[in-house]
């Protein structure tokens, strides 16, 4: 049985949705970020990075959203969440998810996680001011050339979709104008109508 | 025939080494970062992100190091650069590479790429001051728990190794003390002795 450690409002939502879409048998455990539970000694034994998500499997613990999403797709091939028999198409899926992880999420993180990379309040404020522009530029690139529609990779729903959806739910908080991103907005709406997404959101809010 | 766009001193080195280790037929094209060639109109048609590496294939262009490394491993299975028949072991490889991409490389980038996330000189200086600490903390985690030895994943050389090697060549420039990282230093030395690594380094320096 798989077990997902998550916190509401974090990128763990992507893996949570993917597990539900895959029809996986899984349990979840919620961490309290306000109590800094992700840095508690008990959790650091599970994930020494002090972050979510972590996926506990019978072979050991996995971290890093792009790796977990590919693992879920490969472990539940009948759900067809990635083009597993086509190395190039799989690489396109992975490239999209890697961009979300290493560029888009990182741009967003400069709003509230400035202390990861600097020490002065003035630097944090400077970083925070730039977030609408940097996150906006990332999503403009996605809108213009990466999101094929109706799903990220075109007709086939993949592990790119819950990940894009997750980061797109942060856009208003990052002061990016959704009106400039009609394809992203349409994708987010279509995602929000999927039963697996509604089930997971209800669980994370409960 | 594959074609790799790279610039010396960048993370493109990881994919370059992987291509050589795989025995792939490939050509390379060097970009001049000092002339900002990565943002030239011609290159932006190849990679709209204005970054390296880009791998041109007969199916289209790929970006993002973790995706390219997995693609190389899957395209040249005889080179055994990843555990392709074991979803969990493959996910461990991917998790390691995702950490390098989204956390370690990002920490390093705050030394010279401050304008990506802020606008003030004081913020750039603040970010730069923190790099020895943040990159040092990342590599301490790698040293302590992630680098199994002799290679990252243990006895089998994988696509994690050229990527770790690439980022480890930046440690002195980031003022991280190699003496505190004996396993990483040993790994870097062993990597530098591989014929594929020597061939690629000679080509990038030529």
């Amino acid at each position: 049985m798989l077990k997902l450690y998550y916190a509401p409002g974090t990128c763990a939502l992507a893996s949570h949705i993917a597990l539900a879409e895959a029809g996986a048998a899984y349990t979840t455990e919620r961490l309290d970020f306000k109590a800094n539970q992700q840095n508690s000694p008990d959790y650091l034994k599970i994930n020494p990075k002090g972050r979510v998500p972590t996926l506990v499997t019978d072979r050991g613990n996995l971290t890093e959203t792009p790796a977990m999403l590919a693992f879920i797709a490969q472990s539940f091939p009948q759900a067809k969440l990635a083009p597993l028999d086509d190395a190039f198409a799989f690489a396109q899926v992975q490239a999209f998810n890697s961009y979300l992880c290493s560029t888009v999420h990182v741009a967003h993180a400069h709003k509230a996680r400035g202390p990861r990379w600097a020490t002065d309040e003035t630097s944090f404020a400077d970083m925070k001011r730039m977030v609408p522009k940097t996150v906006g530029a990332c999503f403009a690139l996605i809108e213009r050339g990466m999101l094929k529609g109706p799903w990220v990779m075109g007709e086939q729903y993949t592990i790119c979709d819950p990940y894009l959806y997750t980061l797109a739910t942060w856009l208003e908080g990052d002061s990016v104008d959704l009106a400039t991103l009609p394809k992203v907005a349409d994708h987010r709406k279509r995602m929000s109508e999927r039963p697996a997404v509604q089930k997971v959101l209800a669980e994370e809010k409960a």
Side-chain angles (χ1 to χ4, degrees), chain A:
Chain A
M1 175 81 93
L2 299 167
K3 180 176 178 178
L4 178 73
Y5 285 86
Y6 78 98
T10 70
C11 64
L13 177 63
S15 298
H16 198 169
I17 293 170
L19 286 167
E21 299 276 13
Y26 68 94
T27 59
T28 59
E29 188 150 332
R30 190 185 313 196
L31 295 184
D32 183 351
F33 269 34
K34 284 189 184 131
N36 198 27
Q37 201 184 347
Q38 72 271 32
N39 286 308
S40 65
D42 280 351
Y43 186 67
L44 289 174
K45 282 179 207 154
I46 294 162
N47 180 352
K49 296 172 194 165
R51 302 275 179 95
V52 290
T54 304
L55 187 65
V56 179
T57 84
D58 57 8
R59 301 259 311 268
N61 298 354
L62 292 174
T63 58
E64 304 290 333
T65 295
M68 286 168 53
L69 290 173
F71 174 75
I72 292 164
Q74 291 185 328
S75 298
F76 301 93
Q78 74 288 352
K80 298 188 192 305
L81 293 175
L84 300 176
D85 298 328
D86 181 335
F88 180 78
F90 183 66
Q92 289 182 305
V93 164
Q94 294 231 101
F96 186 85
N97 285 351
S98 185
Y99 179 66
L100 294 186
C101 186
S102 60
T103 301
V104 189
H105 190 157
V106 168
H108 162 81
H110 282 74
K111 188 177 68 172
R113 301 291 183 192
R116 283 185 188 161
W117 304 290
T119 56
D120 299 344
E121 289 294 336
T122 53
S123 306
F124 305 155
D126 186 8
M127 292 173 178
K128 197 170 177 173
R129 274 193 305 273
M130 203 160 162
V131 165
K133 186 181 163 190
T134 52
V135 173
C138 290
F139 272 91
L141 201 65
I142 291 168
E143 174 83 17
R144 219 166 51 230
M146 295 168 80
L147 170 51
K148 294 177 185 165
W151 305 113
V152 172
M153 287 293 143
E155 293 301 321
Q156 183 65 44
Y157 179 91
T158 69
I159 45 173
C160 298
D161 294 297
Y163 203 7
L164 175 62
Y165 171 74
T166 297
L167 272 57
T169 63
W170 300 341
L171 284 168
E172 284 89 344
D174 288 347
S175 302
V176 175
D177 183 5
L178 244 322
T180 65
L181 303 167
K183 287 173 73 179
V184 170
D186 180 54
H187 179 268
R188 200 174 77 172
K189 180 171 177 296
R190 208 171 316 104
M191 281 296 296
S192 72
E193 291 163 354
R194 292 179 73 89
V197 175
Q198 293 179 354
K199 173 178 166 287
V200 166
L201 287 177
E203 187 188 323
E204 294 207 355
K205 278 175 191 163

